[in-house]
Amino acid sequence: MSDVPPNAPDPDISEAERRALHDLQLGLEHIYKGYGSLLTFHHQIGHAMNRLADAEDELREAGHEEWANGLRDDHLPAGAVEDQWTYELVTSFRKSFLRDVESFESAVRDELVDGLDHVTERQQQARWRERAGGDAEE
């Protein structure tokens, strides 16, 4: 991604290209938000597993070996989704889907606008600043 100042000239692209870039960027931002939710899921499940581990100890202390062994043998080592632990889901998502979409979005921006990001917002910023300057002169 290039380090382009916010007041960079408006790129010479079609309206369809501008809309496509905007939707790609918004899509990527939603994927980032989803990734954040996945991290939250990972942390919540981790905290839950710590509580289950505490319950195992407490059940054992209370003389309920069978229940404690059930937690130890069946639930604590189990994966959250099809035998995968949540850290594995986070890592897999980051290294595959997230990385692939980031690379794709970046390649499109590099090709169409030399890596410039937030093209729509930059255009809006320029229009609003120009309008504000025009109003100040009247």
Side-chain angles (χ1 to χ4, degrees):
M1 184 156 101
S2 64
D3 293 323
V4 180
N7 59 353
D10 198 16
D12 186 24
I13 57 174
S14 70
E15 181 60 20
E17 289 169 323
R18 186 206 54 77
R19 285 192 317 266
L21 288 168
H22 187 67
D23 283 337
L24 279 170
Q25 189 144 24
L26 287 177
L28 183 56
E29 288 172 0
H30 281 287
I31 290 169
Y32 288 147
K33 288 173 75 173
Y35 180 59
S37 295
L38 184 58
L39 289 173
T40 298
F41 171 72
H42 165 57
H43 292 161
Q44 291 300 106
I45 297 300
H47 289 302
M49 298 306 282
N50 289 338
R51 297 306 300 259
L52 293 177
D54 292 343
E56 175 197 345
D57 294 339
E58 292 155 357
L59 284 168
R60 200 170 306 288
E61 182 181 317
H64 300 286
E65 292 293 319
E66 231 177 281
W67 290 114
N69 291 345
L71 278 171
R72 181 197 65 206
D73 298 340
D74 300 328
H75 303 292
L76 290 173
V81 176
E82 297 179 357
D83 205 35
Q84 286 189 305
W85 279 38
T86 58
Y87 79 89
E88 293 172 302
L89 298 171
V90 167
T91 300
S92 178
F93 182 86
R94 187 183 69 244
K95 288 184 174 182
S96 59
F97 186 70
L98 178 59
R99 185 178 291 165
D100 290 348
V101 174
E102 283 175 326
S103 295
F104 179 83
E105 187 270 345
S106 180
V108 172
R109 274 189 303 103
D110 287 348
E111 177 72 23
L112 295 180
V113 291
D114 293 328
L116 189 67
D117 65 350
H118 296 283
V119 171
T120 298
E121 290 87 345
R122 289 171 189 276
Q123 289 175 341
Q124 183 179 36
Q125 180 184 37
R127 282 193 312 271
W128 286 2
R129 286 184 174 170
E130 182 178 309
R131 184 182 70 183
D135 288 344
E137 295 175 4
E138 292 178 7

